[in-house]
């Protein structure tokens, strides 16, 4: 569709407003959050909601028409998202299905992959996840060990993946494997589209200390894939992964045109902010508690202001893309300070629940146990600090002993 | 700093920079004799000619701003002054102007005073702290007693910025109807101004005694009904100036410390090649960005007169004042022993940051204010 034929943003907005009011269910602000580790119903619901959007002609707003989208502009998407405030939306599908996996397929996938996978996601028929991290190392993604070997016209995968968020709810994973061990690490990787229900793929949900079970681990045992499942070129998978990581930063930073609807409800347990804890423990009148709540209020506000400023700066080019690491680092600091403040406010009450229930103070205690999650998930803050000092401040890069060395000669342990 | 400046704002910034380079050398601060005032009226007059006391005063009262958004221009200017820890009455004069302009039309007329302050002919300051007291602008021990023709003031103020140089004092005092503000010439009989030791070399402080000081009814600023919002306006402007000045100073000292990281070698490598130090730089860079983010957001809210302006200036002050100290002390650490010498510039900035942390509400004061403003 040419610009001249494209519906105006305002016309699209008013059509969306009327349609949402007629069709989409209102969000129930008071509905209880699902218990951690049990959100299967939410995923069923997300697919239903996506099908509704598709039937109404409001799905895949920024995806090209030939792949099932509407081919409209980011301004149309922003208008639609603004109009969805107060409505239930399939926000679980934003990250990674649309904004990371579909966005990467759009950049790097074959014509067939784009036609089949992107349109299936837009129709609400398929959900995607990522198979990137491995137990052998988190930050050093390109050092992964999953092996892909070509047998005739079939790829055979063997290895293990982990930290794949919500993979249990997905139909396909975008996964990286090593297909050439005789070249330096970045040059021997290939990206595959992997059906999560394939024979040879065993998936376990990983239980976290706070009870969450959203992360999965997968074992690939002689998992067979047709050559048509290669995304991009064989041994050029790092180029695909780079786009994937770019789209991930963009999505997390709030800059993706493929995100539809407001950010989802927090997936962590609710009801344990320093403010809530101060009220629940009856300590709101104490000066020290009031100072801590005030500090939390300030930090949360600065966090939002920081997201706005840095996203704008990256958008205009005032900051280079690695500037997103500023947000990653600051978010971790803010989240951890909040956890600490809640713990301090809960004081003596954090050690026990109410009767046999954990209660609010018990939840503060449990969430304190996973405090470091904020500085680990999505890349450790140590890597973030390297990125800021090296790519934003221009400081010398850390030494790496695997650069330009064939991967099969790189040391992988003490032996 | 703001991400985008207009051409007029860039010109305004450039004119401030060139005057600051001429009039405000850091060496001059370092060489001060005890008790010496680090600026003179001529230097302030030159600043006033560039509009340093005009940004938040409407044109009909003799002021005006280059962008039409006075608070934005004020914070832009404050960043420039802060980057060289400029000495002078920029903060007190603008805070008094904020009060006089906010009260304009609600009490006795002070438009002649406003005009004299905008032009730089007169210097004013806010006398709000009292000896031994913490931040409590709405609880003054200085009393104002009604007389047949006006008021009599008794009591003592301290931490009065630029007090020995000021022509006019905006004094908070308790009346039978609550706290009120009075604009009192320092030349009034019974007013005694004496210098007070100050941590910040660039900002001399004074103690001011009021012994049966008699002023006319026209010395009152605003009315009992408007005083709370006038005080709030003064506070908001004071906090914005502090935060923006701190941002400017932090930018400068971070740049100096970054350069040092590349230039200084030990064990045959630049400091910037050590991961332990790179990570400290990364933290500082992140905090610096957050300081700018919250200062700009507060400035936008005050400029727009948003209902959340009171919260956002307290958010900014509580955050920036604390992080400024984290950043500057890390800069000292990265400079090694040099960072704690008199000859290095760092202490001039650390003095300013520590003094700014203390005045117009500490981070703790503003956190309690945030809790009060919330539904806790």
């Amino acid at each position: 569709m040419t610009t001249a034929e494209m519906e105006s943003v305002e016309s699209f907005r008013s059509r969306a407003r009327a349609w949402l009011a007629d069709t989409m269910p209102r969000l129930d602000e008071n509905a209880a959050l699902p218990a951690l580790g049990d959100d299967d119903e939410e995923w069923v619901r997300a697919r239903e909601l996506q099908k509704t959007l598709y039937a109404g002609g409001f799905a895949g707003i920024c995806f090209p028409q030939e792949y099932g989208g509407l081919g409209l502009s980011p301004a149309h998407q922003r208008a639609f998202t603004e109009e969805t405030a107060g409505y239930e939306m399939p926000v679980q599908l934003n990250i990674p299905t649309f904004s990371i996996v579909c966005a990467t397929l759009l950049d790097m996938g074959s014509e067939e992959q784009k036609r089949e996978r992107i349109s299936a996601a837009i129709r609400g028929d398929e959900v995607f996840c990522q198979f990137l991290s491995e137990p052998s190392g988190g930050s050093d993604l390109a050092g992964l060990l999953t092996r892909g070997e070509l047998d005739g016209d079939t790829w055979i995968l063997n290895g293990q993946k982990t930290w794949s968020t919500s993979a249990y709810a997905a139909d396909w994973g975008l996964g990286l494997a090593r297909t050439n061990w005789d070249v330096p690490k970045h040059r021997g990787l290939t990206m595959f589209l992997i059906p999560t229900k394939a024979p040879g793929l065993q998936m376990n949900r990983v239980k976290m200390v706070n009870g969450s079970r959203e992360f999965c681990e997968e074992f690939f045992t002689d998992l067979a894939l047709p050559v048509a499942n290669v995304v991009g070129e064989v041994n050029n998978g790092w180029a695909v992964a780079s786009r994937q990581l770019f789209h991930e930063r963009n999505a997390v930073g709030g800059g993706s045109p493929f995100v539809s609807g407001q950010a989802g409800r927090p997936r962590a347990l609710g009801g344990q902010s320093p403010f809530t804890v101060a009220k629940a423990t009856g300590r709101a009148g104490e000066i020290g508690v009031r100072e801590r709540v005030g500090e939390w209020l300030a930090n949360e506000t600065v966090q939002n202001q920081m997201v706005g400023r840095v996203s704008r700066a990256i958008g205009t080019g005032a900051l280079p893309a690695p500037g997103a690491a500023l947000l990653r680092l600051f978010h971790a600091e803010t989240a951890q300070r909040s956890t600490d403040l809640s713990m301090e406010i809960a004081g003596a009450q954090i050690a026990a629940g109410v009767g046999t229930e954990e209660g609010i103070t018990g939840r503060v205690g449990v969430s304190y146990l996973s405090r470091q999650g904020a500085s680990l998930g999505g890349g450790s803050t140590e890597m973030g600090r390297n990125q800021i000092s090296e790519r934003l401040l221009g400081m010398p890069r850390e030494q790496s002993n695997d650069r330009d060395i064939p991967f099969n000669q790189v040391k992988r342990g003490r032996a | 700093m703001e991400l985008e400046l207009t051409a007029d704002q860039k010109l305004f910034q450039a004119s401030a920079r060139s005057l600051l380079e001429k009039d405000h050398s850091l060496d001059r601060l370092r060489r001060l004799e005890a008790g010496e005032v680090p600026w003179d009226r001529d230097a302030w007059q030159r600043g006033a000619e560039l509009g340093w006391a005009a940004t938040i005063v409407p044109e009909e009262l003799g002021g005006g701003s280059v962008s039409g958004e006075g608070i934005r221009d004020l914070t832009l200017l404050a960043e420039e002054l802060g980057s060289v820890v400029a000495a002078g009455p920029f903060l007190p004069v603008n805070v008094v102007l904020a009060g006089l302009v906010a009260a304009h039309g609600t009490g006795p007329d002070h438009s002649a005073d406003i005009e004299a302050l905008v032009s730089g002919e007169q210097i004013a300051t806010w006398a709000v702290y009292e000896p031994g007291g913490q931040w409590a602008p709405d609880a003054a021990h200085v009393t104002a007693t009604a007389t047949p023709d006006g008021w009599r003031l008794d009591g003592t103020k301290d931490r009065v910025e630029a007090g020995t140089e000021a022509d006019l004092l905006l004094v908070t005092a308790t009346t039978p109807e609550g706290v009120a503000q009075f604009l009192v010439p320092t030349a009034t009989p019974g007013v005694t101004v004496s210098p007070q030791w100050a941590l910040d070399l660039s900002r001399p402080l004074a103690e001011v005694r009021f012994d049966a000081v008699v002023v006319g009814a026209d010395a009152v600023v605003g009315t009992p009904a408007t005083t709370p919002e006038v005080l709030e306006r003064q506070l908001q402007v004071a906090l914005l100036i502090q935060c923006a000045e701190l941002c400017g100073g932090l930018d400068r000292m971070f740049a100096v410390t970054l350069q040092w990281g590349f230039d200084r070698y030990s064990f045959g490598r630049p400091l910037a090649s050590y991961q332990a130090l790179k990570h400290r730089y990364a933290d500082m860079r992140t905090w610096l960005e957050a300081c700018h983010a919250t200062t700009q957001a507060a400035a936008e809210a005050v400029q727009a007169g948003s209902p959340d302006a009171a919260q956002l200036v307290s958010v900014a002050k509580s955050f920036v004042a604390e992080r400024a100290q984290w950043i500057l002390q890390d800069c000292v650490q990265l400079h090694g022993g040099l960072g704690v010498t008199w000859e290095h510039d760092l202490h001039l900035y650390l003095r300013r940051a520590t003094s700014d942390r203390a005045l117009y509400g500490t981070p703790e004061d503003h956190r309690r204010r945030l809790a009060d403003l919330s539904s806790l």
Side-chain angles (χ1 to χ4, degrees), chain A residues 279 290-291 294 305 309 333 385-386 390 396 398, chain B residues 1 275 278-279 283 287 289 294 323 368 372 375:
Chain A
K279 287 207 156 178
R290 296 187 77 77
E291 283 179 4
Q305 294 164 340
R309 177 181 171 89
E333 184 181 308
R385 289 185 175 97
N386 282 353
E390 294 171 9
E398 283 307 302
Chain B
M1 189 192 294
Q275 194 179 39
K278 284 161 67 179
H279 283 193
D283 282 331
W287 297 332
E289 194 72 27
T294 192
R323 300 307 159 109
R368 288 197 302 278
D372 293 347
S375 53

PDB file of all heavy atoms in Angstrom, chain A residues 279 290-291 294 305 309 333 385-386 390 396 398, chain B residues 1 275 278-279 283 287 289 294 323 368 372 375:
ATOM      1  N   LYS A 279       2.167   0.029  55.050  1.00  0.00           N
ATOM      2  CA  LYS A 279       0.764   0.030  55.492  1.00  0.00           C
ATOM      3  C   LYS A 279       0.417  -1.276  56.194  1.00  0.00           C
ATOM      4  O   LYS A 279      -0.188  -1.284  57.264  1.00  0.00           O
ATOM      5  CB  LYS A 279      -0.161   0.254  54.303  1.00  0.00           C
ATOM      6  CG  LYS A 279      -0.119   1.689  53.804  1.00  0.00           C
ATOM      7  CD  LYS A 279      -1.412   2.083  53.119  1.00  0.00           C
ATOM      8  CE  LYS A 279      -1.560   3.606  53.183  1.00  0.00           C
ATOM      9  NZ  LYS A 279      -2.738   4.092  52.506  1.00  0.00           N
ATOM     10  N   ARG A 290       8.901   6.246  56.804  1.00  0.00           N
ATOM     11  CA  ARG A 290       8.433   7.255  55.841  1.00  0.00           C
ATOM     12  C   ARG A 290       9.573   7.665  54.906  1.00  0.00           C
ATOM     13  O   ARG A 290       9.374   7.889  53.717  1.00  0.00           O
ATOM     14  CB  ARG A 290       7.840   8.465  56.559  1.00  0.00           C
ATOM     15  CG  ARG A 290       6.597   8.123  57.360  1.00  0.00           C
ATOM     16  CD  ARG A 290       5.909   9.357  57.944  1.00  0.00           C
ATOM     17  NE  ARG A 290       5.140  10.110  56.946  1.00  0.00           N
ATOM     18  CZ  ARG A 290       3.955   9.739  56.491  1.00  0.00           C
ATOM     19  NH1 ARG A 290       3.379   8.633  56.937  1.00  0.00           N
ATOM     20  NH2 ARG A 290       3.322  10.484  55.610  1.00  0.00           N
ATOM     21  N   GLU A 291      10.777   7.782  55.452  1.00  0.00           N
ATOM     22  CA  GLU A 291      11.918   8.128  54.588  1.00  0.00           C
ATOM     23  C   GLU A 291      12.174   7.025  53.567  1.00  0.00           C
ATOM     24  O   GLU A 291      12.489   7.295  52.404  1.00  0.00           O
ATOM     25  CB  GLU A 291      13.178   8.365  55.431  1.00  0.00           C
ATOM     26  CG  GLU A 291      13.136   9.725  56.110  1.00  0.00           C
ATOM     27  CD  GLU A 291      14.344  10.002  56.989  1.00  0.00           C
ATOM     28  OE1 GLU A 291      15.273   9.179  57.023  1.00  0.00           O
ATOM     29  OE2 GLU A 291      14.329  11.063  57.642  1.00  0.00           O
ATOM     30  N   GLY A 294       9.502   7.180  50.918  1.00  0.00           N
ATOM     31  CA  GLY A 294       9.780   8.335  50.059  1.00  0.00           C
ATOM     32  C   GLY A 294      10.912   8.038  49.092  1.00  0.00           C
ATOM     33  O   GLY A 294      10.869   8.417  47.919  1.00  0.00           O
ATOM     34  N   GLN A 305      11.500   8.181  34.422  1.00  0.00           N
ATOM     35  CA  GLN A 305      12.058   9.343  33.720  1.00  0.00           C
ATOM     36  C   GLN A 305      13.285   8.925  32.907  1.00  0.00           C
ATOM     37  O   GLN A 305      13.511   9.397  31.792  1.00  0.00           O
ATOM     38  CB  GLN A 305      12.447  10.420  34.741  1.00  0.00           C
ATOM     39  CG  GLN A 305      11.228  11.000  35.467  1.00  0.00           C
ATOM     40  CD  GLN A 305      11.596  11.762  36.737  1.00  0.00           C
ATOM     41  OE1 GLN A 305      12.682  11.576  37.308  1.00  0.00           O
ATOM     42  NE2 GLN A 305      10.692  12.620  37.196  1.00  0.00           N
ATOM     43  N   ARG A 309      13.917   9.278  28.918  1.00  0.00           N
ATOM     44  CA  ARG A 309      15.030  10.067  28.388  1.00  0.00           C
ATOM     45  C   ARG A 309      15.949   9.231  27.494  1.00  0.00           C
ATOM     46  O   ARG A 309      16.291   9.636  26.387  1.00  0.00           O
ATOM     47  CB  ARG A 309      15.833  10.657  29.542  1.00  0.00           C
ATOM     48  CG  ARG A 309      17.054  11.446  29.083  1.00  0.00           C
ATOM     49  CD  ARG A 309      17.815  11.983  30.266  1.00  0.00           C
ATOM     50  NE  ARG A 309      19.078  12.555  29.869  1.00  0.00           N
ATOM     51  CZ  ARG A 309      19.251  13.822  29.517  1.00  0.00           C
ATOM     52  NH1 ARG A 309      18.216  14.640  29.512  1.00  0.00           N
ATOM     53  NH2 ARG A 309      20.428  14.273  29.162  1.00  0.00           N
ATOM     54  N   GLU A 333      19.398  -1.732  39.683  1.00  0.00           N
ATOM     55  CA  GLU A 333      19.684  -1.006  40.928  1.00  0.00           C
ATOM     56  C   GLU A 333      18.385  -0.584  41.621  1.00  0.00           C
ATOM     57  O   GLU A 333      18.232  -0.735  42.841  1.00  0.00           O
ATOM     58  CB  GLU A 333      20.533   0.218  40.584  1.00  0.00           C
ATOM     59  CG  GLU A 333      20.974   1.005  41.794  1.00  0.00           C
ATOM     60  CD  GLU A 333      21.789   2.228  41.385  1.00  0.00           C
ATOM     61  OE1 GLU A 333      22.749   2.076  40.617  1.00  0.00           O
ATOM     62  OE2 GLU A 333      21.450   3.323  41.850  1.00  0.00           O
ATOM     63  N   ARG A 385      27.867  -3.309  32.528  1.00  0.00           N
ATOM     64  CA  ARG A 385      28.912  -2.333  32.859  1.00  0.00           C
ATOM     65  C   ARG A 385      30.051  -2.389  31.836  1.00  0.00           C
ATOM     66  O   ARG A 385      30.620  -1.358  31.480  1.00  0.00           O
ATOM     67  CB  ARG A 385      29.443  -2.577  34.263  1.00  0.00           C
ATOM     68  CG  ARG A 385      28.444  -2.198  35.344  1.00  0.00           C
ATOM     69  CD  ARG A 385      29.061  -2.332  36.735  1.00  0.00           C
ATOM     70  NE  ARG A 385      28.136  -1.863  37.748  1.00  0.00           N
ATOM     71  CZ  ARG A 385      27.340  -2.677  38.458  1.00  0.00           C
ATOM     72  NH1 ARG A 385      27.366  -3.974  38.272  1.00  0.00           N
ATOM     73  NH2 ARG A 385      26.510  -2.162  39.348  1.00  0.00           N
ATOM     74  N   ASN A 386      30.383  -3.583  31.369  1.00  0.00           N
ATOM     75  CA  ASN A 386      31.389  -3.671  30.297  1.00  0.00           C
ATOM     76  C   ASN A 386      30.907  -2.909  29.076  1.00  0.00           C
ATOM     77  O   ASN A 386      31.663  -2.173  28.442  1.00  0.00           O
ATOM     78  CB  ASN A 386      31.645  -5.132  29.903  1.00  0.00           C
ATOM     79  CG  ASN A 386      32.552  -5.844  30.894  1.00  0.00           C
ATOM     80  OD1 ASN A 386      33.091  -5.225  31.808  1.00  0.00           O
ATOM     81  ND2 ASN A 386      32.713  -7.136  30.703  1.00  0.00           N
ATOM     82  N   GLU A 390      32.873   0.191  27.624  1.00  0.00           N
ATOM     83  CA  GLU A 390      33.580  -0.033  26.368  1.00  0.00           C
ATOM     84  C   GLU A 390      32.904   0.658  25.181  1.00  0.00           C
ATOM     85  O   GLU A 390      33.569   1.258  24.350  1.00  0.00           O
ATOM     86  CB  GLU A 390      33.695  -1.547  26.095  1.00  0.00           C
ATOM     87  CG  GLU A 390      34.589  -2.231  27.125  1.00  0.00           C
ATOM     88  CD  GLU A 390      34.574  -3.743  27.035  1.00  0.00           C
ATOM     89  OE1 GLU A 390      34.007  -4.295  26.072  1.00  0.00           O
ATOM     90  OE2 GLU A 390      35.137  -4.382  27.952  1.00  0.00           O
ATOM     91  N   PRO A 396      39.104   0.433  26.826  1.00  0.00           N
ATOM     92  CA  PRO A 396      39.615  -0.795  26.203  1.00  0.00           C
ATOM     93  C   PRO A 396      38.744  -2.001  26.525  1.00  0.00           C
ATOM     94  O   PRO A 396      38.208  -2.114  27.620  1.00  0.00           O
ATOM     95  CB  PRO A 396      41.006  -0.959  26.832  1.00  0.00           C
ATOM     96  CG  PRO A 396      41.390   0.405  27.287  1.00  0.00           C
ATOM     97  CD  PRO A 396      40.117   1.076  27.673  1.00  0.00           C
ATOM     98  N   GLU A 398      37.642  -5.887  27.334  1.00  0.00           N
ATOM     99  CA  GLU A 398      38.170  -6.962  28.161  1.00  0.00           C
ATOM    100  C   GLU A 398      38.898  -7.971  27.284  1.00  0.00           C
ATOM    101  O   GLU A 398      38.517  -8.212  26.136  1.00  0.00           O
ATOM    102  CB  GLU A 398      37.022  -7.674  28.890  1.00  0.00           C
ATOM    103  CG  GLU A 398      36.491  -6.902  30.070  1.00  0.00           C
ATOM    104  CD  GLU A 398      37.570  -6.503  31.044  1.00  0.00           C
ATOM    105  OE1 GLU A 398      38.264  -7.398  31.564  1.00  0.00           O
ATOM    106  OE2 GLU A 398      37.740  -5.296  31.280  1.00  0.00           O
TER     107      GLU A 398
ATOM    108  N   MET B   1      21.441  17.755  30.770  1.00  0.00           N
ATOM    109  CA  MET B   1      21.103  18.759  29.767  1.00  0.00           C
ATOM    110  C   MET B   1      19.885  18.312  28.965  1.00  0.00           C
ATOM    111  O   MET B   1      19.628  17.137  28.825  1.00  0.00           O
ATOM    112  CB  MET B   1      22.291  18.957  28.836  1.00  0.00           C
ATOM    113  CG  MET B   1      22.101  20.129  27.922  1.00  0.00           C
ATOM    114  SD  MET B   1      23.291  20.185  26.612  1.00  0.00           S
ATOM    115  CE  MET B   1      24.781  20.471  27.523  1.00  0.00           C
ATOM    116  N   GLN B 275      39.070  -3.610  34.731  1.00  0.00           N
ATOM    117  CA  GLN B 275      37.623  -3.820  34.792  1.00  0.00           C
ATOM    118  C   GLN B 275      37.006  -3.257  36.076  1.00  0.00           C
ATOM    119  O   GLN B 275      35.907  -2.709  36.062  1.00  0.00           O
ATOM    120  CB  GLN B 275      37.289  -5.305  34.663  1.00  0.00           C
ATOM    121  CG  GLN B 275      35.807  -5.517  34.390  1.00  0.00           C
ATOM    122  CD  GLN B 275      35.451  -6.988  34.233  1.00  0.00           C
ATOM    123  OE1 GLN B 275      35.970  -7.835  34.942  1.00  0.00           O
ATOM    124  NE2 GLN B 275      34.575  -7.285  33.310  1.00  0.00           N
ATOM    125  N   LYS B 278      36.595   0.316  35.262  1.00  0.00           N
ATOM    126  CA  LYS B 278      35.608   0.506  34.190  1.00  0.00           C
ATOM    127  C   LYS B 278      34.192   0.410  34.762  1.00  0.00           C
ATOM    128  O   LYS B 278      33.294   1.165  34.380  1.00  0.00           O
ATOM    129  CB  LYS B 278      35.784  -0.570  33.109  1.00  0.00           C
ATOM    130  CG  LYS B 278      36.973  -0.336  32.197  1.00  0.00           C
ATOM    131  CD  LYS B 278      37.372  -1.608  31.467  1.00  0.00           C
ATOM    132  CE  LYS B 278      36.318  -2.058  30.466  1.00  0.00           C
ATOM    133  NZ  LYS B 278      36.752  -3.290  29.754  1.00  0.00           N
ATOM    134  N   HIS B 279      34.002  -0.534  35.672  1.00  0.00           N
ATOM    135  CA  HIS B 279      32.659  -0.714  36.224  1.00  0.00           C
ATOM    136  C   HIS B 279      32.249   0.471  37.094  1.00  0.00           C
ATOM    137  O   HIS B 279      31.076   0.848  37.121  1.00  0.00           O
ATOM    138  CB  HIS B 279      32.590  -2.038  36.997  1.00  0.00           C
ATOM    139  CG  HIS B 279      32.492  -3.218  36.071  1.00  0.00           C
ATOM    140  ND1 HIS B 279      32.166  -4.477  36.477  1.00  0.00           N
ATOM    141  CD2 HIS B 279      32.661  -3.305  34.721  1.00  0.00           C
ATOM    142  CE1 HIS B 279      32.148  -5.294  35.420  1.00  0.00           C
ATOM    143  NE2 HIS B 279      32.452  -4.607  34.365  1.00  0.00           N
ATOM    144  N   ASP B 283      28.908   2.827  36.391  1.00  0.00           N
ATOM    145  CA  ASP B 283      27.906   3.231  37.388  1.00  0.00           C
ATOM    146  C   ASP B 283      27.743   4.753  37.400  1.00  0.00           C
ATOM    147  O   ASP B 283      26.627   5.269  37.399  1.00  0.00           O
ATOM    148  CB  ASP B 283      28.336   2.762  38.784  1.00  0.00           C
ATOM    149  CG  ASP B 283      28.055   1.281  38.997  1.00  0.00           C
ATOM    150  OD1 ASP B 283      27.105   0.760  38.391  1.00  0.00           O
ATOM    151  OD2 ASP B 283      28.786   0.645  39.785  1.00  0.00           O
ATOM    152  N   TRP B 287      24.333   6.913  36.700  1.00  0.00           N
ATOM    153  CA  TRP B 287      23.733   7.850  37.664  1.00  0.00           C
ATOM    154  C   TRP B 287      23.625   9.261  37.086  1.00  0.00           C
ATOM    155  O   TRP B 287      22.657   9.968  37.315  1.00  0.00           O
ATOM    156  CB  TRP B 287      24.571   7.877  38.946  1.00  0.00           C
ATOM    157  CG  TRP B 287      24.617   6.565  39.652  1.00  0.00           C
ATOM    158  CD1 TRP B 287      23.667   5.586  39.637  1.00  0.00           C
ATOM    159  CD2 TRP B 287      25.686   6.062  40.472  1.00  0.00           C
ATOM    160  NE1 TRP B 287      24.082   4.518  40.400  1.00  0.00           N
ATOM    161  CE2 TRP B 287      25.305   4.784  40.925  1.00  0.00           C
ATOM    162  CE3 TRP B 287      26.923   6.577  40.872  1.00  0.00           C
ATOM    163  CZ2 TRP B 287      26.119   4.011  41.764  1.00  0.00           C
ATOM    164  CZ3 TRP B 287      27.732   5.806  41.701  1.00  0.00           C
ATOM    165  CH2 TRP B 287      27.337   4.532  42.142  1.00  0.00           C
ATOM    166  N   GLU B 289      23.229  10.076  33.964  1.00  0.00           N
ATOM    167  CA  GLU B 289      22.093  10.138  33.046  1.00  0.00           C
ATOM    168  C   GLU B 289      20.787  10.269  33.835  1.00  0.00           C
ATOM    169  O   GLU B 289      19.899  11.039  33.469  1.00  0.00           O
ATOM    170  CB  GLU B 289      22.061   8.874  32.175  1.00  0.00           C
ATOM    171  CG  GLU B 289      21.150   8.956  30.968  1.00  0.00           C
ATOM    172  CD  GLU B 289      21.703   9.871  29.880  1.00  0.00           C
ATOM    173  OE1 GLU B 289      22.933  10.036  29.792  1.00  0.00           O
ATOM    174  OE2 GLU B 289      20.886  10.434  29.129  1.00  0.00           O
ATOM    175  N   THR B 294      15.897  13.213  35.793  1.00  0.00           N
ATOM    176  CA  THR B 294      14.947  13.660  36.819  1.00  0.00           C
ATOM    177  C   THR B 294      14.941  15.178  36.934  1.00  0.00           C
ATOM    178  O   THR B 294      13.897  15.788  37.198  1.00  0.00           O
ATOM    179  CB  THR B 294      15.224  12.956  38.167  1.00  0.00           C
ATOM    180  OG1 THR B 294      14.126  13.202  39.037  1.00  0.00           O
ATOM    181  CG2 THR B 294      16.509  13.417  38.810  1.00  0.00           C
ATOM    182  N   ARG B 323      23.142  11.212  44.659  1.00  0.00           N
ATOM    183  CA  ARG B 323      24.012  10.643  43.620  1.00  0.00           C
ATOM    184  C   ARG B 323      25.192  11.564  43.328  1.00  0.00           C
ATOM    185  O   ARG B 323      26.263  11.093  42.957  1.00  0.00           O
ATOM    186  CB  ARG B 323      23.235  10.363  42.329  1.00  0.00           C
ATOM    187  CG  ARG B 323      22.102   9.393  42.492  1.00  0.00           C
ATOM    188  CD  ARG B 323      22.553   8.094  43.136  1.00  0.00           C
ATOM    189  NE  ARG B 323      21.398   7.412  43.716  1.00  0.00           N
ATOM    190  CZ  ARG B 323      20.850   6.311  43.236  1.00  0.00           C
ATOM    191  NH1 ARG B 323      21.367   5.727  42.183  1.00  0.00           N
ATOM    192  NH2 ARG B 323      19.805   5.773  43.836  1.00  0.00           N
ATOM    193  N   ARG B 368      10.692  12.364  53.164  1.00  0.00           N
ATOM    194  CA  ARG B 368       9.522  12.454  54.068  1.00  0.00           C
ATOM    195  C   ARG B 368       8.419  13.278  53.417  1.00  0.00           C
ATOM    196  O   ARG B 368       7.236  12.984  53.545  1.00  0.00           O
ATOM    197  CB  ARG B 368       9.938  13.048  55.419  1.00  0.00           C
ATOM    198  CG  ARG B 368      10.767  12.094  56.270  1.00  0.00           C
ATOM    199  CD  ARG B 368      10.797  12.528  57.728  1.00  0.00           C
ATOM    200  NE  ARG B 368      11.334  13.870  57.889  1.00  0.00           N
ATOM    201  CZ  ARG B 368      12.640  14.161  57.919  1.00  0.00           C
ATOM    202  NH1 ARG B 368      13.532  13.193  57.821  1.00  0.00           N
ATOM    203  NH2 ARG B 368      13.041  15.403  58.054  1.00  0.00           N
ATOM    204  N   ASP B 372       4.639  12.291  52.687  1.00  0.00           N
ATOM    205  CA  ASP B 372       3.503  13.130  53.098  1.00  0.00           C
ATOM    206  C   ASP B 372       2.585  13.428  51.917  1.00  0.00           C
ATOM    207  O   ASP B 372       1.360  13.490  52.061  1.00  0.00           O
ATOM    208  CB  ASP B 372       4.000  14.463  53.687  1.00  0.00           C
ATOM    209  CG  ASP B 372       4.745  14.271  55.007  1.00  0.00           C
ATOM    210  OD1 ASP B 372       4.658  13.161  55.578  1.00  0.00           O
ATOM    211  OD2 ASP B 372       5.430  15.216  55.453  1.00  0.00           O
ATOM    212  N   SER B 375      -0.337   8.969  49.718  1.00  0.00           N
ATOM    213  CA  SER B 375      -1.461   8.666  50.615  1.00  0.00           C
ATOM    214  C   SER B 375      -1.015   7.803  51.793  1.00  0.00           C
ATOM    215  O   SER B 375      -1.830   7.152  52.431  1.00  0.00           O
ATOM    216  CB  SER B 375      -2.564   7.963  49.813  1.00  0.00           C
ATOM    217  OG  SER B 375      -2.009   6.851  49.136  1.00  0.00           O
TER     218      SER B 375
END
